[in-house]
Amino acid sequence: MTVEVEKSKTQQVTKNLNLLKEVWTKDLNALRQSSIQMQVQKEEEQERSENIINKKELEIERLQQTLKETLEDHTATKERLEDSISQLEAHIDEIEARLHEKESEIIIAREETELAKLETEHVEGEIKKRKKRNCKSHGRVKKFKK
C-alpha cells in the first residue's frame, strides 16, 4: 500500500502542480494581456499627445506666419505713410515759399504804390505851386481843392 499511497500522493501532487501550473499560466496570460493592453493604451496616449503637440506646433507656425505678414504689412504701411508725410512736408514747404514770394511781391507792390502815390502827390504839389505862382504873377489868386 505504500507504493499505492505514494503513487496516489504523487498523482495528487502532480494534479495539484498541474492545477497550480494552469492557474499560474492563466495568471501569466492575464498579466501578459494586461501588459499588452497597457502598452497599447500607452502607445495610443503617446500618439494622441504627439498629435496634440503637432497640432499646437502647426498652430504656432501659422500664428507666427500671420504675425510676420501683419508686421510686414504694418512696416510697408508705415513706410508709405512716412513717404506721404515727406511729400506733404515738401509740398507745404513749397507752398510756404510761394506764399513768402507772394507776400514779398505784395509788400513791394504796396511800397511801389506808396512811392507812386508820394510821387504823384509831389508832382501835384509842384503843379499847384506853379499854377499858384503863375496866377500870382498874373494877378489872380485861385484856391485849389485837394
Side-chain angles (χ1 to χ4, degrees):
M1 257 201 57
T2 22
V3 172
E4 283 183 19
V5 172
E6 285 295 320
K7 201 176 186 184
S8 171
K9 283 183 178 178
T10 303
Q11 284 176 348
Q12 188 64 34
V13 167
T14 303
K15 184 178 174 185
N16 285 342
L17 280 174
N18 283 337
L19 285 173
L20 187 59
K21 180 182 175 185
E22 193 178 311
V23 168
W24 280 3
T25 302
K26 286 181 183 177
D27 285 349
L28 183 61
N29 286 338
L31 282 172
R32 284 181 184 154
Q33 186 62 32
S34 176
S35 174
I36 289 171
Q37 286 176 344
M38 288 177 67
Q39 182 65 29
V40 167
Q41 286 176 343
K42 180 181 174 185
E43 288 173 1
E44 288 173 349
E45 186 61 34
Q46 185 174 358
E47 188 177 334
R48 280 194 296 273
S49 295
E50 287 175 0
N51 285 340
I52 290 171
I53 289 171
N54 288 339
K55 285 179 183 178
K56 294 297 180 183
E57 286 175 345
L58 286 173
E59 186 176 346
I60 288 171
E61 287 176 15
R62 184 183 57 78
L63 289 171
Q64 286 175 333
Q65 182 64 30
T66 302
L67 180 63
K68 180 182 174 187
E69 290 170 359
T70 302
L71 182 61
E72 289 171 354
D73 288 347
H74 286 180
T75 301
T77 301
K78 178 185 172 194
E79 290 172 357
R80 283 194 308 273
L81 286 173
E82 287 173 348
D83 288 345
S84 294
I85 288 171
S86 294
Q87 290 174 358
L88 286 172
E89 287 173 343
H91 190 63
I92 288 170
D93 290 344
E94 192 178 303
I95 290 171
E96 285 178 344
R98 287 195 318 228
L99 178 65
H100 289 301
E101 272 181 44
K102 294 297 179 184
E103 287 174 344
S104 295
E105 288 175 8
I106 289 170
I107 291 170
I108 291 170
R110 283 183 183 157
E111 289 175 353
E112 288 175 349
T113 303
E114 187 64 31
L115 184 61
K117 185 179 174 184
L118 289 174
E119 287 177 356
T120 302
E121 287 175 0
H122 178 70
V123 169
E124 287 176 351
E126 286 296 317
I127 291 172
K128 284 181 185 178
K129 284 181 189 176
R130 284 187 188 162
K131 281 186 179 179
K132 198 174 187 182
R133 267 187 269 148
N134 284 342
C135 288
K136 281 185 183 179
S137 64
H138 294 338
R140 297 181 275 159
V141 177
K142 254 187 180 178
K143 298 214 174 186
F144 292 98
K145 295 179 182 175
K146 286 186 180 181

